[in-house]
Amino acid sequence: MKRELRLYFPKVRIRSGVLALFALAMQAIAIFAPLGFDDTPKRLLFESSYVLMLFFIILNLPRPGLAIIGLGVLLNMLPVFANGGLMPVTAENLEKAGKTSHIEGTQEGDAIPYTKNVLKSKENTHFYELSDRIVWDNPFFFRVFSIGDVVIAGGLVVTLGDLFLPRLKRETLSPEKMSRANP
């Protein structure tokens, strides 16, 4: 008998993926849909989306990438829930990122239009270290983000690798298969 290594793509099963899509859709609605002058619906949508996302993660804990994403979601949930339903960001960090035009006329504690953020001072922010405080000058949309966002991005990379990269499998060839393989 001969042993051979072969590449194969494993069957990957993700449970209740519609929950994750629904949670992301809720966040998109909270950011882009006109929900009136009060920001309470926006805050409730964000909090609810985090709960849904956490439930999705719990259902898929055996997947290592999704477990990493779950850690990032938890790291983001702490400042969001502790600061009234939106991710806190300081005016100083927005200034470093060149996004001060977004907060003109906004008072501390107000939701920043078309974002997931609430304007807070460093002193009034619960879990400041976990809030949107990392500033990266880049040409993309995300210039101010949290450590939880970094962990989520790492989890996405692991998940994509888990889904799309082949695995090695040790396969034992019987004598009759060996004779067919080497005529």
Side-chain angles (χ1 to χ4, degrees):
M1 282 197 227
K2 184 178 175 184
R3 293 191 134 192
E4 243 183 46
L5 290 178
R6 292 188 181 251
L7 288 177
Y8 77 101
F9 288 93
K11 186 176 183 180
V12 177
R13 181 183 154 131
I14 295 179
R15 296 182 193 120
S16 302
V18 72
L19 289 178
L21 294 175
F22 191 63
L24 293 174
M26 289 171 69
Q27 288 191 5
I29 289 168
I31 291 172
F32 299 111
L35 299 173
F37 295 108
D38 187 19
D39 62 357
T40 303
K42 183 176 189 172
R43 293 172 187 264
L44 289 173
L45 278 171
F46 269 106
E47 288 176 337
S48 301
S49 74
Y50 275 104
V51 172
L52 269 180
M53 186 63 75
L54 197 57
F55 186 66
F56 165 74
I57 296 296
I58 290 169
L59 290 173
N60 291 285
L61 272 179
R63 305 250 50 96
L66 290 176
I68 295 169
I69 291 172
L71 176 62
V73 168
L74 284 174
L75 290 173
N76 279 347
M77 275 180 76
L78 286 170
V80 165
F81 278 60
N83 290 285
L86 297 172
M87 180 63 84
V89 65
T90 63
E92 295 81 19
N93 287 334
L94 287 173
E95 186 176 333
K96 287 180 194 174
K99 297 282 189 177
T100 52
S101 62
H102 287 83
I103 58 170
E104 290 176 7
T106 305
Q107 302 291 323
E108 181 171 347
D110 289 347
I112 300 172
Y114 303 108
T115 69
K116 61 176 178 50
N117 297 109
V118 61
L119 185 63
K120 291 272 201 159
S121 65
K122 185 176 178 180
E123 302 79 36
N124 293 331
T125 301
H126 302 289
F127 297 106
Y128 173 74
E129 295 301 319
L130 299 177
S131 69
D132 276 359
R133 65 178 196 85
I134 301 170
V135 178
W136 181 34
D137 191 17
N138 66 72
F140 302 109
F141 183 73
F142 303 106
R143 292 188 176 188
V144 182
F145 48 92
S146 67
I147 191 68
D149 296 334
V150 173
V151 173
I152 289 170
L156 285 171
V157 168
V158 171
T159 299
L160 290 174
D162 189 31
L163 292 173
F164 296 117
L165 292 178
R167 309 269 196 316
L168 283 174
K169 181 178 182 180
R170 191 170 302 271
E171 190 175 280
T172 303
L173 294 177
S174 64
E176 66 183 46
K177 283 186 180 176
M178 284 177 37
S179 66
R180 281 191 229 154
N182 298 325

